[in-house]
Amino acid sequence: MRIYEKLSAHSQEIRATHLRKLFDEDLDRFKKFHAEFDGFLLDYSKNNITTKTMDLLYELANESHLKEAINNMFSGQKINTTENRAVLHIALRNRDNHPIYVDGQDVMPEINRVLNQMKTFSDAVRNGTWVGATGKKITDVVNIGIGGSDLGPAMASEALTYYRTDNIRFHFVSNVDGTDITEHLKQCQPETTLFIISSKTFTTQETITNALTARQWLVQALGQNAVEKHFVAVSTNTKAVAEFGINPGNMFVFWDFVGGRYSMWSAIGLSLMIGIGYDNFIQMLEGAFAMDNHFRTAPFNQNLPVIMGLLGIWYTTYLGAESYAVLPYDQYLSKLPLYLQQLDMESNGKSVKKNGKNVDYKTGPILFGAAGTNGQHSFYQLIHQGTHIIPADFIAPIYSLNETGQQHDILLANFIAQPEALMKGKTPDELRQEGVTEDLIPFKTFDGNRPSNTLLIEKITPWTLGALIALYEHKVFVQGVIWNVNSFDQFGVELGKQLAKNILPELFDKNKKLKHDSSTNALIEKIRIKRHG
Ligand code: G6Q
């Protein structure tokens, strides 16, 4: 029997087995199903698995040549086959600086050069030696970028607020909705504001439009010559940066082997480095590097990204789960679900295999989440009693950075109680013992048997954040390898960039003949009459 058939057959046995029973029958279940890495504890015992399940999943990983795929990524092979690119976000945090070659060239000297350039610049902004056109220190840094050029620094900047300088405020403008930039500019003064225009291609409509608005705002107040002191760019496109009017000396480059959603470790993290300082930024890279080494070398049955990746495959492909929740019990991680939504859904939201044929199985799940306990007061209802299986990752630090009153113990009590309740449920008998009347028993019954991972970390630090994000990056990688999809292209996103460009001129020109379907035509017509007569 092939491994897929073995897993399918086994999934029938597991569907018929309640997690509560598995715990009752095996008092050592936690011992068998947990893994540790440098202060991280992954408890995966509350999943619908047995030892046989995990053995079969490891067999699946081996048959999918996972080990070889990991080595290919780390050694700079062009594993992004549709774009013929290497995938080397891992080189950005290659802290022992061993050479990594792409087309026969070691990428490390260039990576280190930009890192030093970032250090010099961020130090100068932080200590006030970099001043605006009128000689004043920078008080506001505005990152203008979208998608991968926004979500990483925005998430990490929020996550590491505790480590950020108090002297500078940080803003992230992404949406092309004018409200976004307008509301941020209201909080800034031209003389003391620094704009970081972050765009890998430097052609993204949203970013360039917002950057033009920012430039106009600045030039109106301080004149054209001020641009040099108030605008820097992060991009792979030197020509377009120069055309925009940003001094190439104020440009921080990265490379096509860094995918947008994997770019927070590169100069895309410049705003973050200004916030937390060079040393903390390096700590974040160190944490990611430690996770990279763990991923590359730990046996699969102790390897956190491999275990989490395989469990996701198990639910999506074999147990019919459509979605997946990430539930961080730490306010600083409130943007993590948003960040992971892009990482996971843009990477594995694919239905074509690497050989160009359609898949005949389910791939990447729908990811959502919110910081605990807020989610408990909204969508958890559906996780507990709805008709979907929603595997969830519960994440929390043992120590809070803000140990005020009883809050953190209460937070942790919730963090522990939820997975337990999801696993166990509540039976009609238990309800009767509590005195619940018969008419309410169906409504108050919880089936339980709902799976979750619990990920416990010591504390939110730059190091642990780096390791945590790298863990999820590699989890997504494992799944891409097994589903046999290219996790590193994003033609769906690029389609979006094209479509709007075609419609834009039609919104202005009432004589332009519309050739869309009747719905699209009617909408364009309505809007153009209202807005442009
Ligand atoms: C990321 C995606 C996408 C990208 C944005 C911004 O992996 O490709 O989110 O980051 O579309 O692109 P630019 O950085 O080129 O502006």
Side-chain angles (χ1 to χ4, degrees):
M1 212 195 284
R2 296 176 60 209
I3 181 64
Y4 313 104
E5 286 149 15
K6 285 195 230 171
L7 276 160
S8 291
H10 177 61
S11 71
Q12 297 310 320
E13 290 164 39
I14 289 292
R15 279 172 202 261
T17 315
H18 199 289
L19 263 173
R20 190 196 272 242
K21 184 163 168 273
L22 292 174
F23 270 95
D24 287 346
E25 283 173 2
D26 180 0
L27 298 182
D28 278 341
R29 192 169 160 84
F30 167 79
K31 248 193 215 157
K32 284 189 187 132
F33 300 118
H34 79 274
E36 286 183 79
F37 156 77
D38 228 334
F40 281 54
L41 167 69
L42 170 66
D43 170 13
Y44 60 101
S45 59
K46 294 193 186 83
N47 281 289
N48 305 101
I49 52 164
T50 59
T51 310
K52 181 174 169 191
T53 321
M54 292 313 292
D55 287 345
L56 288 173
L57 289 170
Y58 296 130
E59 195 178 324
L60 174 68
N62 289 329
E63 289 210 4
S64 308
H65 306 289
L66 177 60
K67 189 83 202 159
E68 196 183 322
I70 296 172
N71 290 337
N72 288 344
M73 171 167 72
F74 277 84
S75 61
Q77 305 293 309
K78 297 198 173 169
I79 59 171
N80 176 355
T81 45
T82 51
E83 296 178 309
N84 193 31
R85 289 176 181 172
V87 173
L88 283 179
H89 43 284
I90 53 99
L92 302 166
R93 58 230 192 183
N94 170 23
R95 297 304 302 156
D96 68 10
N97 208 24
H98 63 270
I100 300 177
Y101 296 97
V102 176
D103 295 327
Q105 184 122 20
D106 181 9
V107 297
M108 291 313 299
E110 192 48 13
I111 287 174
N112 292 328
R113 182 188 69 76
V114 177
L115 204 53
N116 283 331
Q117 187 197 0
M118 290 167 68
K119 177 182 187 327
T120 308
F121 182 74
S122 61
D123 282 351
V125 175
R126 284 165 64 84
N127 65 28
T129 50
W130 176 282
V131 289
T134 59
K136 293 195 175 160
K137 288 181 189 172
I138 299 300
T139 58
D140 290 82
V141 169
V142 183
N143 185 78
I144 300 184
I146 195 164
S149 299
D150 165 70
L151 286 163
M155 174 278 295
S157 185
E158 167 94 11
L160 300 177
T161 304
Y162 182 85
Y163 302 88
R164 246 172 33 196
T165 172
D166 291 332
N167 302 332
I168 302 174
R169 285 178 295 270
F170 291 86
H171 308 262
F172 293 87
V173 171
S174 54
N175 199 336
V176 76
D177 180 341
T179 299
D180 199 1
I181 188 145
T182 304
E183 287 299 333
H184 283 287
L185 291 183
K186 275 188 198 164
Q187 301 163 36
C188 303
Q189 297 300 322
E191 287 182 283
T192 54
T193 300
L194 175 74
F195 294 97
I196 302 178
I197 313 303
S198 298
S199 175
K200 184 172 170 182
T201 55
F202 226 76
T203 55
T204 304
Q205 196 181 33
E206 291 92 332
T207 300
I208 301 304
T209 308
N210 281 328
L212 287 169
T213 303
R215 192 174 66 183
Q216 200 185 8
W217 176 82
L218 184 97
V219 169
Q220 236 163 31
L222 303 178
Q224 186 65 37
N225 290 342
V227 171
E228 187 166 348
K229 283 290 173 190
H230 294 266
F231 276 79
V232 299
V234 180
S235 187
T236 57
N237 187 346
T238 317
K239 191 163 161 272
V241 169
E243 277 165 16
F244 183 87
I246 294 177
N247 179 345
N250 292 341
M251 175 177 173
F252 299 80
V253 297
F254 63 118
W255 311 271
D256 73 359
F257 56 73
V258 180
R261 56 194 171 279
Y262 298 89
S263 65
M264 60 179 256
W265 323 97
S266 72
I268 289 290
L270 185 61
S271 53
L272 176 66
M273 192 191 277
I274 296 172
I276 62 175
Y278 175 80
D279 290 345
N280 278 324
F281 192 88
I282 293 295
Q283 276 305 304
M284 184 181 81
L285 300 184
E286 291 281 359
F289 180 56
M291 185 57 78
D292 292 344
N293 287 335
H294 169 75
F295 179 49
R296 220 166 31 81
T297 58
F300 287 170
N301 63 2
Q302 291 162 38
N303 193 313
L304 270 62
V306 171
I307 294 168
M308 287 175 69
L310 290 173
L311 289 167
I313 299 268
W314 176 234
Y315 290 114
T316 303
T317 305
Y318 295 95
L319 291 178
E322 295 278 345
S323 54
Y324 164 48
V326 177
L327 309 166
Y329 279 64
D330 190 291
Q331 190 62 26
Y332 286 129
L333 297 182
S334 63
K335 292 202 168 119
L336 184 69
L338 266 185
Y339 174 81
L340 294 181
Q341 211 162 46
Q342 177 185 35
L343 175 66
D344 203 316
M345 292 167 75
E346 196 173 341
S347 296
N348 289 338
K350 311 282 163 67
S351 51
V352 173
K353 290 188 264 191
K354 285 183 193 151
N355 64 7
K357 301 247 159 60
N358 283 335
V359 298
D360 54 4
Y361 40 82
K362 289 274 164 65
T363 61
I366 301 154
L367 190 153
F368 69 102
T373 57
N374 296 2
Q376 289 175 209
H377 295 263
S378 71
F379 58 79
Y380 277 37
Q381 165 61 36
L382 187 147
I383 305 185
H384 281 287
Q385 285 191 306
T387 53
H388 303 267
I389 323 175
I390 305 181
D393 289 352
F394 287 83
I395 307 168
I398 299 175
Y399 303 105
S400 170
L401 292 167
N402 301 294
E403 294 277 355
T404 10
Q406 261 212 305
Q407 270 93 337
H408 201 59
D409 288 310
I410 294 173
L411 185 72
L412 288 176
N414 278 281
F415 163 76
I416 293 166
Q418 289 286 336
E420 183 184 30
L422 286 167
M423 181 274 280
K424 273 188 161 165
K426 199 168 233 190
T427 64
D429 279 348
E430 285 167 339
L431 290 166
R432 279 182 199 109
Q433 272 164 27
E434 287 174 12
V436 174
T437 54
E438 277 311 309
D439 55 334
L440 284 179
I441 290 222
F443 303 99
K444 293 200 166 187
T445 299
F446 290 80
D447 296 335
N449 200 31
R450 298 183 183 227
S452 64
N453 286 319
T454 305
L455 188 59
L456 204 51
I457 54 189
E458 288 269 319
K459 197 162 91 171
I460 305 294
T461 65
W463 194 98
T464 53
L465 182 75
L468 180 69
I469 300 303
L471 164 61
Y472 276 96
E473 285 177 349
H474 296 323
K475 184 213 90 148
V476 167
F477 176 85
V478 167
Q479 298 183 333
V481 169
I482 292 176
W483 283 322
N484 194 20
V485 297
N486 180 359
S487 303
F488 302 103
D489 61 13
Q490 56 281 316
F491 293 108
V493 175
E494 279 149 38
L495 173 74
K497 293 189 183 185
Q498 266 319 314
L499 294 179
K501 281 195 178 149
N502 299 339
I503 292 196
L504 184 61
E506 297 176 342
L507 290 181
F508 291 98
D509 183 357
K510 64 171 184 273
N511 299 319
K512 202 164 173 102
K513 196 158 166 36
L514 300 174
K515 293 185 184 149
H516 306 270
D517 56 89
S518 61
S519 155
T520 311
N521 284 346
L523 293 168
I524 293 174
E525 212 133 286
K526 172 94 180 165
I527 289 172
R528 79 181 172 189
I529 289 169
K530 286 268 181 195
R531 285 181 60 85
H532 302 289

mmCIF file of all heavy atoms in Angstrom, residues 145-151 198-204 207 254 259-263 268 342 346 488 490 493-494 497, ligand 1:
data_model
loop_
_atom_site.group_PDB
_atom_site.id
_atom_site.type_symbol
_atom_site.label_atom_id
_atom_site.label_comp_id
_atom_site.label_asym_id
_atom_site.label_seq_id
_atom_site.Cartn_x
_atom_site.Cartn_y
_atom_site.Cartn_z
ATOM 1 N N GLY A 145 4.754 50.823 2.443
ATOM 2 C CA GLY A 145 4.952 49.570 1.717
ATOM 3 C C GLY A 145 3.689 48.751 1.876
ATOM 4 O O GLY A 145 2.796 49.114 2.655
ATOM 5 N N ILE A 146 3.589 47.668 1.171
ATOM 6 C CA ILE A 146 2.377 46.849 1.306
ATOM 7 C C ILE A 146 2.756 45.375 1.221
ATOM 8 O O ILE A 146 3.823 45.024 0.708
ATOM 9 C CB ILE A 146 1.329 47.251 0.223
ATOM 10 C CG1 ILE A 146 -0.071 46.701 0.560
ATOM 11 C CG2 ILE A 146 1.758 46.823 -1.178
ATOM 12 C CD1 ILE A 146 -1.212 47.360 -0.219
ATOM 13 N N GLY A 147 1.875 44.508 1.723
ATOM 14 C CA GLY A 147 2.125 43.061 1.672
ATOM 15 C C GLY A 147 3.413 42.726 2.396
ATOM 16 O O GLY A 147 3.646 43.158 3.531
ATOM 17 N N GLY A 148 4.285 42.019 1.716
ATOM 18 C CA GLY A 148 5.552 41.620 2.322
ATOM 19 C C GLY A 148 6.428 42.801 2.704
ATOM 20 O O GLY A 148 7.325 42.664 3.538
ATOM 21 N N SER A 149 6.191 43.955 2.138
ATOM 22 C CA SER A 149 7.004 45.125 2.464
ATOM 23 C C SER A 149 6.383 45.949 3.591
ATOM 24 O O SER A 149 6.801 47.078 3.844
ATOM 25 C CB SER A 149 7.185 45.995 1.207
ATOM 26 O OG SER A 149 7.853 45.235 0.217
ATOM 27 N N ASP A 150 5.373 45.373 4.225
ATOM 28 C CA ASP A 150 4.686 46.065 5.325
ATOM 29 C C ASP A 150 4.460 45.138 6.521
ATOM 30 O O ASP A 150 4.788 45.461 7.656
ATOM 31 C CB ASP A 150 3.322 46.574 4.813
ATOM 32 C CG ASP A 150 2.384 46.972 5.921
ATOM 33 O OD1 ASP A 150 2.650 47.994 6.566
ATOM 34 O OD2 ASP A 150 1.391 46.253 6.158
ATOM 35 N N LEU A 151 3.895 43.959 6.229
ATOM 36 C CA LEU A 151 3.397 43.116 7.325
ATOM 37 C C LEU A 151 4.498 42.658 8.289
ATOM 38 O O LEU A 151 4.270 42.595 9.499
ATOM 39 C CB LEU A 151 2.661 41.899 6.751
ATOM 40 C CG LEU A 151 1.280 42.219 6.160
ATOM 41 C CD1 LEU A 151 0.804 41.095 5.254
ATOM 42 C CD2 LEU A 151 0.272 42.442 7.274
ATOM 43 N N SER A 198 9.340 51.295 1.041
ATOM 44 C CA SER A 198 9.766 49.890 0.973
ATOM 45 C C SER A 198 9.008 49.174 -0.123
ATOM 46 O O SER A 198 7.793 48.977 -0.034
ATOM 47 C CB SER A 198 9.463 49.203 2.309
ATOM 48 O OG SER A 198 10.191 49.812 3.348
ATOM 49 N N SER A 199 9.718 48.821 -1.170
ATOM 50 C CA SER A 199 9.062 48.089 -2.253
ATOM 51 C C SER A 199 10.113 47.316 -3.036
ATOM 52 O O SER A 199 11.032 47.925 -3.594
ATOM 53 C CB SER A 199 8.318 49.056 -3.178
ATOM 54 O OG SER A 199 7.791 48.353 -4.275
ATOM 55 N N LYS A 200 9.964 46.021 -3.055
ATOM 56 C CA LYS A 200 10.937 45.181 -3.761
ATOM 57 C C LYS A 200 11.026 45.610 -5.225
ATOM 58 O O LYS A 200 12.095 45.829 -5.758
ATOM 59 C CB LYS A 200 10.505 43.719 -3.636
ATOM 60 C CG LYS A 200 11.468 42.730 -4.243
ATOM 61 C CD LYS A 200 11.052 41.306 -3.896
ATOM 62 C CE LYS A 200 11.846 40.297 -4.691
ATOM 63 N NZ LYS A 200 11.461 38.918 -4.422
ATOM 64 N N THR A 201 9.875 45.769 -5.864
ATOM 65 C CA THR A 201 9.855 46.103 -7.290
ATOM 66 C C THR A 201 9.908 47.605 -7.540
ATOM 67 O O THR A 201 10.283 48.057 -8.598
ATOM 68 C CB THR A 201 8.541 45.597 -7.919
ATOM 69 O OG1 THR A 201 7.457 46.155 -7.157
ATOM 70 C CG2 THR A 201 8.462 44.087 -7.888
ATOM 71 N N PHE A 202 9.487 48.376 -6.583
ATOM 72 C CA PHE A 202 9.309 49.837 -6.692
ATOM 73 C C PHE A 202 8.359 50.209 -7.822
ATOM 74 O O PHE A 202 8.457 51.271 -8.427
ATOM 75 C CB PHE A 202 10.657 50.561 -6.849
ATOM 76 C CG PHE A 202 10.757 51.753 -5.934
ATOM 77 C CD1 PHE A 202 11.002 51.591 -4.580
ATOM 78 C CD2 PHE A 202 10.568 53.048 -6.406
ATOM 79 C CE1 PHE A 202 11.066 52.673 -3.716
ATOM 80 C CE2 PHE A 202 10.625 54.150 -5.552
ATOM 81 C CZ PHE A 202 10.880 53.948 -4.202
ATOM 82 N N THR A 203 7.438 49.325 -8.104
ATOM 83 C CA THR A 203 6.422 49.633 -9.119
ATOM 84 C C THR A 203 5.023 49.419 -8.540
ATOM 85 O O THR A 203 4.032 49.640 -9.232
ATOM 86 C CB THR A 203 6.561 48.704 -10.346
ATOM 87 O OG1 THR A 203 6.514 47.360 -9.881
ATOM 88 C CG2 THR A 203 7.853 48.939 -11.100
ATOM 89 N N THR A 204 4.919 48.990 -7.298
ATOM 90 C CA THR A 204 3.612 48.661 -6.729
ATOM 91 C C THR A 204 2.764 49.930 -6.584
ATOM 92 O O THR A 204 3.180 50.900 -5.940
ATOM 93 C CB THR A 204 3.793 47.949 -5.366
ATOM 94 O OG1 THR A 204 4.625 46.813 -5.603
ATOM 95 C CG2 THR A 204 2.483 47.502 -4.772
ATOM 96 N N THR A 207 2.000 51.578 -3.110
ATOM 97 C CA THR A 207 3.167 52.155 -2.437
ATOM 98 C C THR A 207 3.636 53.414 -3.143
ATOM 99 O O THR A 207 3.909 54.440 -2.497
ATOM 100 C CB THR A 207 4.288 51.101 -2.383
ATOM 101 O OG1 THR A 207 3.785 49.983 -1.652
ATOM 102 C CG2 THR A 207 5.544 51.632 -1.721
ATOM 103 N N PHE A 254 17.947 44.892 -1.491
ATOM 104 C CA PHE A 254 17.905 43.446 -1.230
ATOM 105 C C PHE A 254 17.822 42.753 -2.579
ATOM 106 O O PHE A 254 18.061 43.385 -3.613
ATOM 107 C CB PHE A 254 16.862 43.053 -0.188
ATOM 108 C CG PHE A 254 15.416 43.313 -0.491
ATOM 109 C CD1 PHE A 254 14.519 42.254 -0.578
ATOM 110 C CD2 PHE A 254 14.919 44.591 -0.635
ATOM 111 C CE1 PHE A 254 13.172 42.466 -0.808
ATOM 112 C CE2 PHE A 254 13.577 44.822 -0.874
ATOM 113 C CZ PHE A 254 12.698 43.753 -0.965
ATOM 114 N N GLY A 259 12.026 36.559 -0.990
ATOM 115 C CA GLY A 259 10.616 36.754 -1.337
ATOM 116 C C GLY A 259 10.009 37.826 -0.439
ATOM 117 O O GLY A 259 10.413 37.979 0.717
ATOM 118 N N GLY A 260 9.030 38.570 -0.947
ATOM 119 C CA GLY A 260 8.411 39.650 -0.173
ATOM 120 C C GLY A 260 7.986 39.209 1.218
ATOM 121 O O GLY A 260 8.326 39.841 2.220
ATOM 122 N N ARG A 261 7.250 38.104 1.298
ATOM 123 C CA ARG A 261 6.726 37.681 2.604
ATOM 124 C C ARG A 261 7.797 37.045 3.492
ATOM 125 O O ARG A 261 7.503 36.647 4.618
ATOM 126 C CB ARG A 261 5.535 36.736 2.408
ATOM 127 C CG ARG A 261 5.822 35.518 1.553
ATOM 128 C CD ARG A 261 4.532 34.823 1.136
ATOM 129 N NE ARG A 261 4.723 33.776 0.147
ATOM 130 C CZ ARG A 261 4.856 33.978 -1.160
ATOM 131 N NH1 ARG A 261 4.864 35.207 -1.636
ATOM 132 N NH2 ARG A 261 4.996 32.955 -1.986
ATOM 133 N N TYR A 262 9.015 36.931 2.973
ATOM 134 C CA TYR A 262 10.130 36.387 3.759
ATOM 135 C C TYR A 262 11.190 37.466 3.982
ATOM 136 O O TYR A 262 12.345 37.151 4.247
ATOM 137 C CB TYR A 262 10.753 35.196 3.007
ATOM 138 C CG TYR A 262 9.791 34.045 2.812
ATOM 139 C CD1 TYR A 262 8.964 33.972 1.694
ATOM 140 C CD2 TYR A 262 9.674 33.035 3.769
ATOM 141 C CE1 TYR A 262 8.061 32.925 1.524
ATOM 142 C CE2 TYR A 262 8.777 31.991 3.611
ATOM 143 C CZ TYR A 262 7.972 31.949 2.488
ATOM 144 O OH TYR A 262 7.080 30.921 2.336
ATOM 145 N N SER A 263 10.791 38.755 3.849
ATOM 146 C CA SER A 263 11.822 39.787 3.742
ATOM 147 C C SER A 263 12.056 40.617 5.000
ATOM 148 O O SER A 263 12.865 41.538 4.978
ATOM 149 C CB SER A 263 11.486 40.723 2.567
ATOM 150 O OG SER A 263 10.294 41.435 2.826
ATOM 151 N N ILE A 268 14.178 45.454 4.450
ATOM 152 C CA ILE A 268 12.747 45.729 4.686
ATOM 153 C C ILE A 268 12.510 45.921 6.193
ATOM 154 O O ILE A 268 11.571 46.584 6.611
ATOM 155 C CB ILE A 268 11.865 44.594 4.084
ATOM 156 C CG1 ILE A 268 11.884 44.649 2.549
ATOM 157 C CG2 ILE A 268 10.431 44.610 4.620
ATOM 158 C CD1 ILE A 268 11.154 45.836 1.917
ATOM 159 N N GLN A 342 -0.560 35.944 5.556
ATOM 160 C CA GLN A 342 0.147 36.110 4.279
ATOM 161 C C GLN A 342 1.166 35.006 4.079
ATOM 162 O O GLN A 342 1.231 34.377 3.011
ATOM 163 C CB GLN A 342 0.866 37.458 4.200
ATOM 164 C CG GLN A 342 1.655 37.539 2.882
ATOM 165 C CD GLN A 342 2.521 38.763 2.703
ATOM 166 O OE1 GLN A 342 3.083 39.267 3.664
ATOM 167 N NE2 GLN A 342 2.634 39.217 1.475
ATOM 168 N N GLU A 346 -0.336 32.844 1.141
ATOM 169 C CA GLU A 346 0.272 33.252 -0.130
ATOM 170 C C GLU A 346 1.280 32.184 -0.585
ATOM 171 O O GLU A 346 1.485 31.989 -1.779
ATOM 172 C CB GLU A 346 0.957 34.607 0.020
ATOM 173 C CG GLU A 346 1.259 35.277 -1.315
ATOM 174 C CD GLU A 346 1.789 36.695 -1.182
ATOM 175 O OE1 GLU A 346 1.608 37.333 -0.123
ATOM 176 O OE2 GLU A 346 2.400 37.167 -2.136
ATOM 177 N N PHE A 488 6.859 29.622 -3.238
ATOM 178 C CA PHE A 488 7.581 30.897 -3.332
ATOM 179 C C PHE A 488 7.166 31.802 -4.484
ATOM 180 O O PHE A 488 7.755 32.846 -4.666
ATOM 181 C CB PHE A 488 9.092 30.609 -3.338
ATOM 182 C CG PHE A 488 9.501 29.857 -2.101
ATOM 183 C CD1 PHE A 488 9.760 28.499 -2.146
ATOM 184 C CD2 PHE A 488 9.534 30.499 -0.874
ATOM 185 C CE1 PHE A 488 10.077 27.797 -0.993
ATOM 186 C CE2 PHE A 488 9.844 29.810 0.281
ATOM 187 C CZ PHE A 488 10.120 28.455 0.226
ATOM 188 N N GLN A 490 3.664 33.791 -6.472
ATOM 189 C CA GLN A 490 2.418 34.432 -6.008
ATOM 190 C C GLN A 490 1.705 35.065 -7.188
ATOM 191 O O GLN A 490 1.485 36.271 -7.218
ATOM 192 C CB GLN A 490 2.688 35.478 -4.906
ATOM 193 C CG GLN A 490 3.683 36.591 -5.259
ATOM 194 C CD GLN A 490 5.114 36.164 -5.174
ATOM 195 O OE1 GLN A 490 5.514 35.491 -4.216
ATOM 196 N NE2 GLN A 490 5.908 36.505 -6.174
ATOM 197 N N VAL A 493 -1.394 37.223 -6.490
ATOM 198 C CA VAL A 493 -1.188 38.595 -6.023
ATOM 199 C C VAL A 493 -0.876 39.488 -7.222
ATOM 200 O O VAL A 493 -1.366 40.613 -7.336
ATOM 201 C CB VAL A 493 -0.014 38.653 -5.016
ATOM 202 C CG1 VAL A 493 0.306 40.078 -4.615
ATOM 203 C CG2 VAL A 493 -0.335 37.824 -3.787
ATOM 204 N N GLU A 494 -0.067 38.953 -8.126
ATOM 205 C CA GLU A 494 0.319 39.756 -9.292
ATOM 206 C C GLU A 494 -0.879 40.050 -10.192
ATOM 207 O O GLU A 494 -0.975 41.129 -10.786
ATOM 208 C CB GLU A 494 1.457 39.067 -10.045
ATOM 209 C CG GLU A 494 2.776 39.369 -9.334
ATOM 210 C CD GLU A 494 3.818 38.286 -9.444
ATOM 211 O OE1 GLU A 494 3.911 37.670 -10.515
ATOM 212 O OE2 GLU A 494 4.525 38.038 -8.440
ATOM 213 N N LYS A 497 -2.527 43.077 -9.054
ATOM 214 C CA LYS A 497 -1.804 44.307 -9.394
ATOM 215 C C LYS A 497 -2.176 44.750 -10.818
ATOM 216 O O LYS A 497 -2.239 45.929 -11.107
ATOM 217 C CB LYS A 497 -0.295 44.080 -9.295
ATOM 218 C CG LYS A 497 0.201 43.838 -7.869
ATOM 219 C CD LYS A 497 1.725 43.824 -7.775
ATOM 220 C CE LYS A 497 2.206 43.510 -6.368
ATOM 221 N NZ LYS A 497 3.647 43.589 -6.182
HETATM 222 C C1 G6Q B 1 4.936 38.846 -1.001
HETATM 223 C C2 G6Q B 1 4.099 39.298 -2.089
HETATM 224 C C3 G6Q B 1 3.496 40.664 -1.924
HETATM 225 C C4 G6Q B 1 4.498 41.811 -2.059
HETATM 226 C C5 G6Q B 1 3.717 43.105 -2.216
HETATM 227 C C6 G6Q B 1 4.602 44.322 -2.314
HETATM 228 O O1 G6Q B 1 5.498 37.778 -0.965
HETATM 229 O O2 G6Q B 1 4.741 39.165 -3.287
HETATM 230 O O3 G6Q B 1 2.830 40.797 -0.709
HETATM 231 O O4 G6Q B 1 5.343 41.864 -0.980
HETATM 232 O O5 G6Q B 1 2.891 43.004 -3.336
HETATM 233 O O6 G6Q B 1 5.457 44.233 -3.396
HETATM 234 P P1 G6Q B 1 6.650 45.238 -3.539
HETATM 235 O O7 G6Q B 1 7.574 45.045 -2.399
HETATM 236 O O8 G6Q B 1 7.304 44.907 -4.857
HETATM 237 O O9 G6Q B 1 6.072 46.627 -3.518
#
